[in-house]
Amino acid sequence: QVQLVESGGGLVQAGGSLRLSCAASGRTFSSYAMGWFRQAPGKEREFVSAIIWSGADTYYADSVKGRFAISRDNAKNTVYLQMNSLKPEDTAVYVCAAGSHARDWAPHGEERRYEYWGQGTQVTVSS
């Protein structure tokens, strides 16, 4: 079982930056792929970014490529999402997720890749 707790959300002006953190419980964090998804009001949850267990490979949605950066610190059981050049359309609840090797068959950008989900942190970007 893995428990995930996000932090770092808040209110920021367009063009600003935020860094989200997702702290995971459990001793096997380093074996999990980690993903970030977001859900805006009235919209479906969408993929933002993902990182494999070692950090060697990362994935991004086209809408955030070049602005967001995902990273992880396995010694701290934490994954980060650095968000730069934020836009009002980035406003959403950001949720992190963890996926074990049992889900390796699923693409990193799909929700079925991940078994465990956090509660989310609100990010609001004002224009």
Side-chain angles (χ1 to χ4, degrees):
Q1 191 78 2
V2 176
Q3 292 185 325
L4 305 170
V5 179
E6 302 93 338
S7 61
L11 174 64
V12 64
Q13 288 189 330
S17 298
L18 283 174
R19 189 176 82 152
L20 305 183
S21 299
C22 173
S25 65
R27 294 174 294 175
T28 58
F29 172 79
S30 61
S31 68
Y32 283 82
M34 300 297 296
W36 285 98
F37 289 74
R38 67 186 182 186
Q39 187 166 20
K43 294 188 176 181
E44 296 288 320
R45 187 158 61 185
E46 65 175 1
F47 169 73
V48 176
S49 183
I51 187 167
I52 69 168
W53 67 274
S54 67
D57 289 325
T58 57
Y59 306 85
Y60 297 94
D62 288 342
S63 58
V64 306
K65 207 169 289 184
R67 300 188 298 122
F68 290 11
I70 191 170
S71 61
R72 66 190 295 161
D73 186 339
N74 287 342
K76 295 183 178 180
N77 280 14
T78 301
V79 63
Y80 305 98
L81 185 67
Q82 178 67 42
M83 306 187 296
N84 299 324
S85 302
L86 283 162
K87 304 175 181 179
E89 51 263 44
D90 294 318
T91 295
V93 174
Y94 284 71
V95 181
C96 73
S100 71
H101 288 303
R103 299 283 183 101
D104 277 348
W105 52 269
H108 283 86
E110 296 185 11
E111 293 187 23
R112 56 183 176 160
R113 179 65 180 85
Y114 307 95
E115 295 110 310
Y116 305 102
W117 295 81
Q119 293 298 308
T121 185
Q122 176 70 46
V123 171
T124 303
V125 184
S126 63
S127 56

